[in-house]
């Protein structure tokens, strides 16, 4: 095992605060570097307490109204969603219990599918139980295999989840986006490159080193069998959790029944621990190419982050710093988050 270096800087800023009768106040911001990607983030603890105008509760009206014409609800899913051509998927759509996978009507890669997770229009994210995730993973694997067999150059898979409109979902009905592409996404490509450079330098797998190092550290949350869950040292969003599969599994196709069960259970447990009423979430499963085994330097991993709550007038968490400076401002301390989650996990 190689020791992973964790770099942080402390920045003090001084002013006379009107909240303290114009007495001197010193606020501390931490700047932290992601040990793999070298990307920086800022953690501003005080910012979490700043007044946000118009913070509200989950907007029940939006949920009710959106169900009226939802394409994924009831019989409409059969009538209103696209089908694959029979030579690719003979039944048109892939079904595993409640899970239904079909082509995205507006794709942004060669094979871009949508998978509806549940027959219910709205489910709090912590009520999407491990069985639903298990069916989802099984359906996605079937899809990846079929596509890759017929198109060997389509080999970069990812499973992605936008939960609620504040996290980018255009429909409230819980669904995943399944991409199988001829090239990796920018972040997937960066992970391959940086993981390879780490291996080249240290002769060890960064992700397995991360497990070894973090399991005894304050960011460790818990494990579901072979999958280890911890908070990111340098998050890109608030409440950022990473899950890494211990061992030699680098791609989604290398998952056996055990990994599918462990990952599904872990996703459910994480959402049970972090869910706050009405919050949005993003999740991505990062995989090696379908036809390659990269287990010596890359491991299958999952990232989960929280987004603002779905209230009538919400404040986005993506501002100039995140979008244009590529330097996220985080208001949750990863070590505090892990301590909190560990109790409930
Ligand atoms: Zn619906």
């Amino acid at each position: 095992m190689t020791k992973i270096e964790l770099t942080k800087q402390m920045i003090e800023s001084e002013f006379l605060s009107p909240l303290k009768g114009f007495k001197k106040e010193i606020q501390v911001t931490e700047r932290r570097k992601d040990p793999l990607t070298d990307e920086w983030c800022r953690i501003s603890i005080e910012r979490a307490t700043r007044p946000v105008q118009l913070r509200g509760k989950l907007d029940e009206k939006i949920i009710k109204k959106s169900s009226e014409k939802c394409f994924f609800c009831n019989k409409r899913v059969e009538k209103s969603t696209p089908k694959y051509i029979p030579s690719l998927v003979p039944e048109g759509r892939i079904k595993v219990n409640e899970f239904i996978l079909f082509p995205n009507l507006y794709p942004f890669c060669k094979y871009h599918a949508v998978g509806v997770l549940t027959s219910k229009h709205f489910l709090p994210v912590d009520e999407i139980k491990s069985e639903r995730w298990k069916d989802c993973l099984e359906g996605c694997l079937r899809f990846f295999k079929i596509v890759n067999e017929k198109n060997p150059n389509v080999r970069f898979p990812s499973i992605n989840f936008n939960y609620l409109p504040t996290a980018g979902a255009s429909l409230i009905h819980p669904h995943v986006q399944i991409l199988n592409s001829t090239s990796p996404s920018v972040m997937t490509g960066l992970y391959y490159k940086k993981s390879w450079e780490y291996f080249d330098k240290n002769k060890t797998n960064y992700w397995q080193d991360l497990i070894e190092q973090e399991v005894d550290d304050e960011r460790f949350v818990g494990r579901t069998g072979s999958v280890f869950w911890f908070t990111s040292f340098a998050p890109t969003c608030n409440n950022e959790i990473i899950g890494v599969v211990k061992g030699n599994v680098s791609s989604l196709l290398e998952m056996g029944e055990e990994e599918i069960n462990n990952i599904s259970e872990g996703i459910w447990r994480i959402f049970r621990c972090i869910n706050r009423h009405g919050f949005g979430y993003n999740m991505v499963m990062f995989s090696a190419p379908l036809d390659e085994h990269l287990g010596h330097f890359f491991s299958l991993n999952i990232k989960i982050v929280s987004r603002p709550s779905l209230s009538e007038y919400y404040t986005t968490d993506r501002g100039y710093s995140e979008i244009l400076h590529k330097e996220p401002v985080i208001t949750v301390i990863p070590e505090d988050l892990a301590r909190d989650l560990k109790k409930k996990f």
Side-chain angles (χ1 to χ4, degrees):
M1 179 202 159
T2 311
K3 184 161 173 31
I4 298 170
E5 221 174 287
L6 301 175
T7 309
K8 64 167 137 172
Q9 306 166 342
M10 307 300 267
I11 301 152
E12 286 191 353
S13 111
E14 187 184 283
F15 53 88
L16 305 178
S17 170
L19 304 174
K20 294 181 178 168
F22 291 99
K23 285 207 182 91
K24 190 164 93 177
E25 171 159 335
I26 296 172
Q27 280 198 15
V28 182
T29 303
E30 270 187 40
R31 207 166 167 250
R32 294 190 183 190
K33 189 166 84 163
D34 184 286
L36 182 66
T37 62
D38 292 335
E39 289 172 336
W40 289 85
C41 74
R42 287 169 191 269
I43 302 183
S44 166
I45 303 129
E46 293 292 327
R47 194 180 149 92
T49 61
R50 82 192 159 131
V52 179
Q53 285 178 329
L54 303 164
R55 178 176 278 164
K57 288 212 167 89
L58 176 70
D59 196 328
E60 305 279 355
K61 277 185 298 193
I62 296 181
I63 291 171
K64 192 167 182 300
K65 192 150 180 30
S66 65
S67 71
E68 286 161 14
K69 287 180 182 170
C70 176
F71 296 124
F72 301 163
C73 267
N74 311 316
K75 295 260 182 288
R76 278 196 292 267
V77 74
E78 303 280 350
K79 283 187 201 141
S80 312
T81 61
K83 289 185 196 179
Y84 281 106
I85 52 170
S87 59
L88 190 75
V89 180
E91 323 81 60
R93 303 182 184 99
I94 293 172
K95 292 181 187 171
V96 184
N97 299 316
E98 280 180 47
F99 180 77
I100 308 178
L101 180 152
F102 45 83
N104 190 326
L105 204 49
Y106 306 104
F108 44 80
C109 76
K110 190 159 171 69
Y111 287 95
H112 182 173
V114 170
V116 176
L117 285 164
T118 161
S119 55
K120 294 205 171 55
H121 179 67
F122 174 71
L123 264 188
V125 75
D126 51 347
E127 285 178 33
I128 305 172
K129 296 192 175 160
S130 53
E131 294 78 29
R132 298 280 77 78
W133 290 110
K134 194 168 167 264
D135 293 346
C136 164
L137 290 181
E138 280 171 8
C140 292
L141 286 198
R142 214 184 285 170
F143 174 70
F144 290 137
K145 276 183 200 158
I146 291 170
V147 169
N148 188 240
E149 222 164 77
K150 301 234 156 114
N151 311 265
N153 63 330
V154 181
R155 60 199 195 93
F156 295 99
S158 66
I159 300 174
N160 311 277
F161 181 45
N162 292 339
Y163 178 78
L164 295 187
T166 53
S170 56
L171 294 171
I172 295 218
H173 200 129
H175 61 285
V176 288
Q177 311 250 348
I178 306 120
L179 272 66
N180 201 3
S181 185
T182 49
S183 54
S185 73
V186 172
M187 188 50 82
T188 308
L190 188 65
Y191 276 175
Y192 296 163
K193 181 174 177 282
K194 291 288 187 177
S195 302
W196 170 257
E197 286 172 4
Y198 183 93
F199 173 74
D200 199 34
K201 187 176 161 209
N202 304 303
K203 307 292 173 246
T204 50
N205 175 323
Y206 168 82
W207 302 92
Q208 300 302 308
D209 284 350
L210 193 66
I211 292 178
E212 291 289 314
Q213 185 165 319
E214 295 293 80
V215 76
D216 296 320
D217 218 313
E218 47 189 341
R219 285 170 296 277
F220 181 61
V221 174
R223 59 186 282 192
T224 45
S226 56
V227 188
F228 287 67
W229 303 89
F230 30 82
T231 58
S232 290
F233 170 74
T236 59
C237 255
N238 281 327
N239 300 309
E240 183 169 295
I241 318 284
I242 308 174
V244 183
V245 181
K246 191 175 167 70
N248 238 342
V249 178
S250 66
S251 90
L252 287 159
L253 276 197
E254 287 167 352
M255 289 192 299
E257 208 184 322
E258 196 192 326
E259 283 82 28
I260 291 179
N261 286 338
N262 293 341
I263 290 171
S264 305
E265 175 71 20
I267 293 171
W268 181 37
R269 277 207 223 172
I270 289 292
F271 281 132
R272 259 182 358 200
C273 294
I274 62 173
N275 189 32
R276 283 169 62 192
H277 196 53
F279 271 58
Y281 295 95
N282 296 119
M283 177 175 76
V284 173
M285 293 183 70
F286 292 100
S287 164
L290 294 171
D291 57 349
E292 278 187 83
H293 174 66
L294 306 184
H296 51 303
F297 74 92
F298 180 81
S299 304
L300 182 66
N301 68 88
I302 302 130
K303 196 173 259 189
I304 295 173
V305 299
S306 82
R307 305 301 306 281
S309 69
L310 181 63
S311 54
E312 201 171 356
Y313 302 102
Y314 78 94
T315 305
T316 177
D317 59 352
R318 305 278 93 178
Y320 67 87
S321 195
E322 291 78 14
I323 304 283
L324 299 173
H325 287 298
K326 302 277 179 207
E327 199 159 313
V329 180
I330 306 299
T331 54
V332 178
I333 303 169
E335 293 72 25
D336 289 352
L337 175 65
R339 202 177 310 123
D340 183 40
L341 298 186
K342 202 181 266 179
K343 284 184 233 148
K344 304 174 196 157
F345 196 79

